[in-house]
Amino acid sequence: MCGIVGYIGGKNASQIIFEGLTLLEYRGYDSAGIAISAEGKIDIRRSAGKLANLSSLLGKKPLLGNTGIGHTRWATHGKPSEENAHPHSDAEETIVLVHNGIIENYADIKRQLIKEGYSFKSETDTEAAVNLIKKHYRGNLFEAVQTAIKEIRGSYAFAILSKDEPDKIVCARKDAPLIIGIGEGENFIASDIPALLSHSKKMIFLEDGDIAEIKIDGVKIENSGSFVEREIKTIHWDAVSAQKNGYKHFMLKEIFEQPRAIEDTIRGRIDIEKNEVYIDECSLSADFIKNISHIYIAACGTAYYSALIAKFLFENFCRIPTDADIASEFRYRNPIFNGNTLSIFISQSGETADTLAALKTAKAANCPSLAVCNAVGSTISRQSDNVFYTHCGPEIGVASTKAFTGQLAALYILSLYFASKRKTLPQEKFSQYLKELWSIPLKMGEFLKKSDGIAKIAKTFSNKRDFLYLGRHINYPIALEGALKLKEISYIHAEGYPAGEMKHGPIALIDENMPIVAIMPNSFIYEKTLSNIEEAKARGAQIIAVVSEGGSLVKEKTDYQIFIPQTDEFFSPILSVLPLQLLAYHISVALGCDVDQPRNLAKSVTVE
Ligand code: AGP
């Protein structure tokens, strides 16, 4: 998820673009750049790090002109650095481009263009696009983009300049947002509303397949070979609420971004037609994978709960004995490494000190390491032998939501890839699991669309001081995660427990003041969990049950039911966590807590 801004008009383009980028910094902040087209050439300024670095560069070497594009980056391909920062250009700087999205076939495009003599300076997928447009450029940028787009697979929002056509900006979008702001004798483009609001409230939201040519005095849009008219909408948001896309908190926005975050993480990595899984960015050989005899996974907090779920996946899909450890404990327990051990480290930020220390423990034992991270170029990703990035975009809310389900998506992909190399799953089962994973973003979206009732349940229970979350098997880690969500944003004590363990002590706690959240989607152990719930109900507890659609039995035996779409039980955690995120969120709001920045917490715990 990156931020794009563009301007064409009579004012100082660089200043307008920079201000717009600062309002989009929540979309990415690991590097930034601006390009201005004037007097037959295009000047570019780029810097690694936050926008403040670009600002000081512009102070030393200002950009003058009235047409330009800018970008603030959230890296997906290529580490955060100046050479990977956008805008990117062809070698002659004829064409300059900024991009938000993921070009799935960039490696093929880049290979072919190198053969044809085009040179590359960066590790990005974006540079393949700018050189492909240059290849097709015959003096008309709009036509060159129309031709090049046909060869690009993946998601993109492009803003493009040509030094020979300084009176226009060309844009294109597919599966990544791009908006045109309509001004008086000037026009604007941006990835998101906040960057436009101070200039214009009249906006055109480009649609997938749109290619637009923006000039001072007008906009033309083409889609599938014909020119189209797009509605000009008037937006009345203020800049802050617009950064949250109209949601009250970043956490709520990020909960609803999960279908897209999973889609982006899966994109280009599984093919349900060919029954294939691709992890090109990892250099784990098939031989190494076939010979893995043990996996350690170390992580903290929510990431540790995704590690507990991964244990089920690696043991059931790949038949590899797997230990999931709390990172701060792992480093002190003198773990045993043999030649065929793989160590995995899961971290959204890639900067968690305890997880980094655990990684160092594995490296000291010469154990091959694999990081699952959301932040490209983060310390843990750089210090691991291999890294598998989730593509969730920046997670601003301290409570992790889309990064957690992104980790689960990554772990499904990795475990299915390992299973395909170790041939530990029957082909039919493998194919079924791939299709199930592919269907998850849609099922998440279906659930989220019908989740309004959870706020009402939350209001009923917001005065309680203790909760018990119960789950079994692969949903026990979800009980832990649900309890953590509630604790960290509402400050209510909550405990996740294996449902079968309740009778060995915690049942003494249960009465009408201790609500129970039971995570019990369809599963081979559903009846067993139901009987645990009956024991709790008999002692006066109020039960909130997370169950699969179609589950009837549960209505008589529980007080509140939240239904999630049917799925294979190994995939149920990525859906059963959603109601728990929303339950915690709405209880926190009902209590007036600081949802996005809860007390005592930090987004990345870089101290041990
Ligand atoms: C989760 O909601 C918390 N914010 C916290 O437990 C977090 O998951 C943990 O600190 C690990 O962070 P990381 O994924 O960035 O390593």
Side-chain angles (χ1 to χ4, degrees), residues 21 68 72 76 114 123 219 348 402 413 434 453 519 523 528 592:
L21 292 176
T72 183
T76 54
I114 289 171
E123 306 161 296
V219 177
Q348 186 283 131
K402 65 176 181 175
I413 292 167
L434 268 198
I519 300 98
S523 158
K528 282 226 179 344

Side-chain angles (χ1 to χ4, degrees), residues 300-303 346-349 352 398-400 407 484-485 488 605:
C300 299
T302 288
I346 304 172
S347 175
Q348 186 283 131
S349 62
T352 299
V398 164
S400 189
Q407 287 159 5
L484 176 62
K485 288 282 107 34
E488 66 178 327
V605 182

